[in-house]
Amino acid sequence: RGFNRLTSLELLVKSQLAANELQGANATVVKAISHPRIELRENLKPKWLFIKACVEFRLKEHSQSFKTINSDAEYADHSRTYS
């Protein structure tokens, strides 16, 4: 139920972004990030923090978007490696 739900939420948020339903996308991200199993797989939390930052950026919450993208230390370390 956990990982399938997160996969479904990912498809939903991508559809919402494509349809410019930004408030809905934001609500979907909040639901996904609060999912109890998001910490169980190494790549899930950084992926959802990136999606959250993208939604915030589209909502013109640029400062919050940059805070979100840098909020996960592991993700921040990886982003420095590839820049």
Side-chain angles (χ1 to χ4, degrees), residues 40-76:
L40 295 180
R41 288 204 182 159
E42 181 179 320
N43 65 335
L44 287 178
K45 187 163 184 184
K47 177 198 292 190
W48 277 100
L49 287 173
F50 177 76
I51 294 169
K52 182 177 190 289
C54 291
V55 171
E56 291 166 343
F57 196 85
R58 294 269 311 268
L59 287 167
K60 300 193 185 320
E61 297 173 3
H62 302 126
S63 179
Q64 183 58 46
S65 176
F66 291 118
K67 288 178 187 173
T68 297
I69 204 77
N70 289 310
S71 66
D72 187 70
E74 183 177 334
Y75 181 78

Side-chain angles (χ1 to χ4, degrees), residues 29-44:
V29 167
V30 169
K31 190 179 295 186
I33 287 179
S34 65
H35 193 283
R37 291 183 171 232
I38 199 163
E39 301 284 346
L40 295 180
R41 288 204 182 159
E42 181 179 320
N43 65 335
L44 287 178

